[in-house]
Amino acid sequence: MSDGKTKAQAQAEVTVTPYGPERVRVLYAPETLAARVAELGREITRDYAGREIVVCGVLKGSFVFVGDLCRAIALPTGIEFIGISSYGSRTETSGIVKITQDLSISVEGRHVLVVEDIVDTGLTMQYLLENLRTRHPASLKICTLLHKPSRQRADVPLDYVGFVVPDEFVIGYGLDYDQRYRNLPYIGVLIP
Ligand code: IMP
Ligand code: MG
């Protein structure tokens, strides 16, 4: 194979799902995700040493990542979720965003770490940051599992990035297509 992989290796990266006949090309296997999440947890633990943080997961896509990441952070950590819906097509955001479920606490004076599944155009994150800033946290940082820089339209500072992904629509490990595939333990691309 041209990229140095054997045919068997390349085939092993394609898998079936419980959802139907479509197959998935696996980009990040469960063990690859676990290793990177552990690294991110160590980095966050080091950077915030001596402080208490509030992890603010963005629903629904971040729920798996938050579950794994928060267990890799060895600090006093509050867990909050914020629900957001962006108007747009199934695979593209419009930047018009609505909060569908708010945090359960005030984050004034607290160290807030926003945890996202993926930053694509950045429009959702830009809106969320503007909203959270008005609540006067002591600090506000972003941790995203995936970043698609090729499509970025809003300039948002990403403090922690798990993986930089190519411009392909990815599913699994919390990420959905039309509310499906969130429970796949790997991240991949649907093969049409
Ligand atoms: P953005 O506003 O364009 O950055 O998009 C952010 C949201 O769109 C993410 O939180 C995801 O929910 C969704 N999204 C963007 N790209 C993908 C993808 O490749 N797979 C699944 N969801 C995605
Ligand atoms: Mg999301």
Side-chain angles (χ1 to χ4, degrees), residues 54-89:
V54 180
V55 161
C56 171
V58 184
L59 291 173
K60 296 178 195 167
S62 75
F63 81 104
V64 178
F65 182 37
V66 168
D68 286 343
L69 181 68
C70 73
R71 286 178 290 172
I73 298 174
L75 295 169
T77 301
I79 314 286
E80 292 289 320
F81 286 98
I82 194 160
I84 278 208
S85 82
S86 56
Y87 301 92
S89 68

Side-chain angles (χ1 to χ4, degrees), residues 58-62 84 116-118 124 175-176 182:
V58 184
L59 291 173
K60 296 178 195 167
S62 75
I84 278 208
E116 242 305 17
D117 50 357
I118 183 165
T124 305
L175 292 134
D176 73 306
R182 293 192 196 274

Side-chain angles (χ1 to χ4, degrees), residues 21-72:
E22 315 93 331
R23 289 169 311 147
V24 170
R25 178 161 45 84
V26 177
L27 295 181
Y28 307 108
E31 44 292 7
T32 309
L33 292 167
R36 186 67 187 122
V37 171
E39 277 176 5
L40 289 170
R42 281 194 292 272
E43 233 180 286
I44 291 164
T45 301
R46 200 185 51 225
D47 292 352
Y48 286 94
R51 283 178 279 176
E52 179 162 348
I53 65 172
V54 180
V55 161
C56 171
V58 184
L59 291 173
K60 296 178 195 167
S62 75
F63 81 104
V64 178
F65 182 37
V66 168
D68 286 343
L69 181 68
C70 73
R71 286 178 290 172

Side-chain angles (χ1 to χ4, degrees), residues 2 30 36 38 61 81 91 116 135 146 160 169 176 189:
S2 58
R36 186 67 187 122
F81 286 98
T91 60
E116 242 305 17
R135 307 180 193 205
L146 307 176
Y160 305 95
F169 196 82
D176 73 306
V189 179

Side-chain angles (χ1 to χ4, degrees), residues 93 116-124 148 168-170 175-176:
T93 184
E116 242 305 17
D117 50 357
I118 183 165
V119 173
D120 183 21
T121 63
L123 294 169
T124 305
K148 256 188 221 173
E168 291 188 281
F169 196 82
V170 293
L175 292 134
D176 73 306

